[in-house]
Amino acid sequence: MEFGIFEFLKLVGSLGLFIYGMKIMSEGIQNVAGDKMKSILSAMTSNRIAGVFTGFLITTIIQSSSATTVMVVSFVNAGLLSLTQSIGVIMGANVGTTVTAWIISILGFKVKMATLATPIIAIAFPMMFANSKKIKDWGNTLIGFALLFIGLDFLKKAVPEFSADQLQFLEVIHSSLGIFAPAAFVIVGTLITIVVQSSSAAMALTLVLCNQGVIPFDVAAAMVLGENIGTTITANLAAIVGNTNAKRSARAHLIFNVTGVIWMLLIYPFFLNFIVYISQEYFGQNDPRTTAEAVPVALSIFHTTFNIINTFIMVFFVKQIRDVVIRMVPEKEDEHEYSLEFISDGRPIANEAGIEQARNEIKRFANISAKEINSCRKIFQGSKENKKERKGYISRLRKLEESTDEMHNDVSIFLSKISKDQQLSSSQIQEVNSLLRAAHEIERIGDIYKGMTFTIEKRYDEKIWLSDEQKADLDDFLQVVTNAFNIMLENMDAKEIDLDKANQAEKEVNAKRKELRRKHLERSNETPDVEAPQMLAYNDLLASMERIGDHILNVSEAFAGVA
């Protein structure tokens, strides 16, 4: 058969219709489910078996492992799932995606679903004009389902018939590559999936090619293995704009699938014989190596068995996979400290999830702000000899101030998007307002840090140094402020906010400032030749640290919902 440009376009168009139908159906199901899918994921525990089951369940329902893994990556990015939890969910998604092959094998080849597609569209089309969003979503789901099988029917008709002579090249590859031939076809399957951006579409194309006798069973099985690797590209692309843990989650998906393909290739001929035995003895199929019509079911058995066994093996190595991806994607200090992380894409996942994202972002910057007390300590201890080191710590504090400004701005915009949702409960509205206040307080701490750097820099540039006594007193004061920070961080993580403890810590900050001011006046009377600029700088630093104490208390009050 001649295969010209028109025939090629028909093939590509048929595949495009199948992918579009799959997309419409998947999106429709996700909309019908609403936040339930996300609730299942966000409620995950560290139980790896529960994670696997959740990944399987969601992928089976929404019929897209890519959608599940991208959702997982976004949840890891938002801090709603840990890296360890995400690995289990991704493993389950791989098993869930095998259901697609069975749907295509049974309904696409055994049942003439294409003849039912137009009646399905006739039922679904009026649903798209209903006032109820739920009915509209169901209409989209049914239309996507119909388009999927119309595309599959077109695909079967668009695949050309090849003669035995035209398929001789497959034998040539087999004979020339020998034991490495399966690996070559794994690469082919990987590339096809990367191009079409859908393992389901790649699987459909493979099943059709097998059913038409274009490719034999052993070649198709190797391509299916490659499709398992190719599907990981979607999650890795989604993770590009994500944080470190999102990237690690996507790499875990890649490691899981690549490792599975490697061990499968080592036992490939024996495993294929096992699949042939299963398909003949338990499914009543002919030998898929000699009967093209028997290949789709055998390939579905291969796909399912491989993913179940691979998941069963790898679920015991979740911690090892986690350790490997942590080494693969190290956490850069600057990225960790001076960039937004949990809301980097600016899109709330859902009301509860979005609020959690904002809370995690604020908590993260609160932790960073608390740690930068050490930078204050370093610039206070400055001398003529450590100018370069002092400049480095001053730069850190100024970068923090810029980042807290960005955090405050982005969190405010982010929470305002959530606030526009009419479905927010009164408690959620109060929580949004509390988080806005907390973000503002953290931003003010950053401003005070920056102001302190100008105070120090100006005096040191004028060669006016703090005395040893002043440095020691400031160091003591920083310890009191650090204690207040620690109580604030405890309150941000606690279910019950201890405001008494927070108030006591703030009183200790105020008392320390009074004590140091008194000591400073006593020293000034004893040493009247102390330079005025040095005294002013010291007093400014004491006042700044006291103001930090006020904002620390305000953060605890914000999290407690106190106006």
Side-chain angles (χ1 to χ4, degrees):
M1 175 184 175
E2 246 180 75
F3 191 64
I5 185 67
F6 184 68
E7 285 73 19
F8 174 73
L9 289 175
K10 281 173 64 179
L11 181 65
V12 173
S14 301
L15 186 62
L17 186 59
F18 176 89
I19 294 172
Y20 182 68
M22 176 68 75
K23 180 176 181 289
I24 295 296
M25 186 180 75
S26 177
E27 288 177 353
I29 294 172
Q30 289 180 66
N31 288 333
V32 167
D35 291 336
K36 290 177 186 174
M37 297 294 177
K38 301 175 182 74
S39 298
I40 293 171
L41 274 176
S42 61
M44 279 299 303
T45 65
S46 57
N47 185 321
R48 66 187 76 178
I49 303 301
V52 170
F53 179 75
T54 302
F56 167 76
L57 180 66
I58 290 179
T59 306
T60 300
I61 294 172
I62 67 177
Q63 280 300 292
S64 174
S65 61
S66 296
T68 302
T69 51
V70 168
M71 197 187 299
V72 167
V73 167
S74 70
F75 268 66
V76 173
N77 192 57
L80 303 176
L81 280 180
S82 70
L83 178 61
T84 304
Q85 289 170 329
S86 72
I87 295 171
V89 178
I90 286 170
M91 287 180 177
N94 269 46
V95 179
T97 197
T98 65
V99 175
T100 306
W102 285 104
I103 292 173
I104 296 169
S105 296
I106 296 169
L107 297 181
F109 295 106
K110 303 292 183 185
V111 180
K112 298 297 182 184
M113 283 300 297
T115 59
L116 299 175
T118 45
I120 290 172
I121 291 175
I123 295 169
F125 186 69
M127 295 170 69
M128 296 179 66
F129 297 94
N131 292 326
S132 168
K133 184 179 181 299
K134 187 74 76 176
I135 294 175
K136 284 182 181 179
D137 291 334
W138 272 116
N140 277 325
T141 302
L142 290 172
I143 285 177
F145 183 75
L147 290 177
L148 185 153
F149 284 102
I150 291 173
L152 185 64
D153 191 57
F154 284 176
L155 195 60
K156 287 190 285 185
K157 294 172 182 175
V159 170
E161 294 178 7
F162 292 97
S163 66
D165 291 338
Q166 289 172 318
L167 296 175
Q168 195 66 36
F169 75 96
L170 292 174
E171 278 301 321
V172 173
I173 293 175
H174 267 293
S175 56
S176 59
L177 294 179
I179 61 172
F180 299 106
F185 290 113
V186 165
I187 294 170
V188 172
T190 302
L191 293 175
I192 290 173
T193 311
I194 290 172
V195 170
V196 301
Q197 276 293 289
S198 169
S199 60
S200 296
M203 171 61 80
L205 180 60
T206 305
L207 288 168
V208 169
L209 290 172
C210 289
N211 191 61
Q212 305 289 75
V214 177
I215 55 175
F217 175 57
D218 56 341
V219 169
M223 288 173 63
V224 167
L225 292 177
E227 288 157 15
N228 273 269
I229 296 174
T231 193
T232 64
I233 193 69
T234 308
N236 278 278
L237 288 173
I240 288 173
V241 295
N243 59 25
T244 300
N245 271 334
K247 291 182 176 70
R248 288 169 177 171
S249 182
R251 298 297 186 280
H253 190 201
L254 179 64
I255 288 172
F256 169 70
N257 283 13
V258 169
T259 305
V261 169
I262 289 171
W263 71 254
M264 175 52 68
L265 287 176
L266 296 176
I267 61 168
Y268 190 65
F270 310 103
F271 196 79
L272 284 189
N273 289 335
F274 171 68
I275 296 300
V276 170
Y277 170 78
I278 293 291
S279 66
Q280 290 178 315
E281 291 296 320
Y282 295 97
F283 288 83
Q285 299 291 309
N286 293 323
D287 190 337
R289 293 169 295 195
T290 57
T291 309
E293 289 77 13
V295 174
V297 171
L299 208 56
S300 299
I301 297 170
F302 172 83
H303 191 206
T304 304
T305 307
F306 161 67
N307 276 291
I308 289 174
I309 294 174
N310 191 39
T311 300
F312 179 77
I313 293 170
M314 300 295 284
V315 76
F316 295 104
F317 296 96
V318 168
K319 290 183 179 178
Q320 287 76 7
I321 294 173
R322 180 200 61 196
D323 294 341
V324 169
V325 296
I326 286 173
R327 286 196 292 271
M328 283 178 69
V329 188
E331 193 159 32
K332 297 176 183 177
E333 185 178 345
D334 285 347
E335 177 187 76
H336 176 72
E337 293 189 16
Y338 301 120
S339 65
L340 292 169
E341 187 166 301
F342 296 106
I343 59 173
S344 56
D345 61 358
R347 296 189 303 272
I349 301 170
N351 292 346
E352 281 296 338
I355 291 170
E356 189 67 22
Q357 281 179 279
R359 184 187 293 108
N360 284 330
E361 196 70 73
I362 293 167
K363 283 163 66 174
R364 177 172 173 267
F365 273 87
N367 272 282
I368 295 169
S369 299
K371 288 177 184 175
E372 289 307 327
I373 278 289
N374 186 57
S375 295
C376 294
R377 183 172 282 108
K378 294 293 184 181
I379 64 172
F380 292 168
Q381 300 301 319
S383 63
K384 299 175 186 178
E385 292 77 25
N386 68 351
K387 182 177 180 180
K388 185 176 180 181
E389 182 184 6
R390 184 175 70 253
K391 291 285 186 184
Y393 285 108
I394 285 174
S395 176
R396 281 178 68 94
L397 289 170
R398 289 178 183 173
K399 280 182 182 179
L400 173 65
E401 188 272 337
E402 291 171 7
S403 294
T404 52
D405 282 350
E406 182 183 355
M407 179 274 295
H408 181 223
N409 180 63
D410 283 16
V411 165
S412 298
I413 293 171
F414 186 78
L415 288 172
S416 70
K417 290 178 184 177
I418 299 173
S419 298
K420 290 175 184 176
D421 192 326
Q422 299 301 313
Q423 296 178 352
L424 278 182
S425 65
S426 58
S427 62
Q428 286 175 328
I429 292 170
Q430 183 180 352
E431 195 166 7
V432 165
N433 291 333
S434 295
L435 290 175
L436 284 169
R437 182 187 173 193
H440 172 70
E441 300 297 341
I442 299 295
E443 186 263 340
R444 290 294 296 120
I445 291 172
D447 291 344
I448 294 169
Y449 277 150
K450 184 179 181 179
M452 288 162 67
T453 66
F454 285 121
T455 299
I456 287 290
E457 193 171 49
K458 185 175 188 300
R459 299 311 173 202
Y460 283 9
D461 285 347
E462 294 170 353
K463 311 299 181 189
I464 297 169
W465 311 102
L466 295 172
S467 68
D468 290 341
E469 292 88 351
Q470 288 172 333
K471 290 177 183 178
D473 287 346
L474 288 172
D475 197 61
D476 287 345
F477 201 170
L478 286 175
Q479 282 301 121
V480 178
V481 176
T482 298
N483 178 59
F485 261 126
N486 290 338
I487 291 168
M488 178 194 79
L489 296 176
E490 287 173 11
N491 279 332
M492 293 176 86
D493 282 325
K495 290 182 179 178
E496 295 289 332
I497 308 296
D498 192 340
L499 277 184
D500 290 339
K501 202 171 179 182
N503 276 301
Q504 181 59 36
E506 196 263 344
K507 287 177 182 176
E508 288 174 5
V509 170
N510 293 343
K512 192 67 178 178
R513 186 201 175 185
K514 289 179 181 177
E515 176 195 333
L516 294 182
R517 285 187 67 185
R518 180 178 48 77
K519 284 178 67 176
H520 175 60
L521 289 172
E522 289 173 358
R523 279 198 301 265
S524 299
N525 292 331
E526 292 170 6
T527 317
D529 58 341
V530 174
E531 297 178 71
Q534 184 194 69
M535 294 173 61
L536 289 173
Y538 181 71
N539 279 325
D540 282 349
L541 294 175
L542 293 180
S544 295
M545 287 195 282
E546 184 185 31
R547 291 204 310 277
I548 288 175
D550 295 337
H551 292 296
I552 288 172
L553 173 62
N554 292 344
V555 171
S556 287
E557 288 180 343
F559 267 69
V562 176

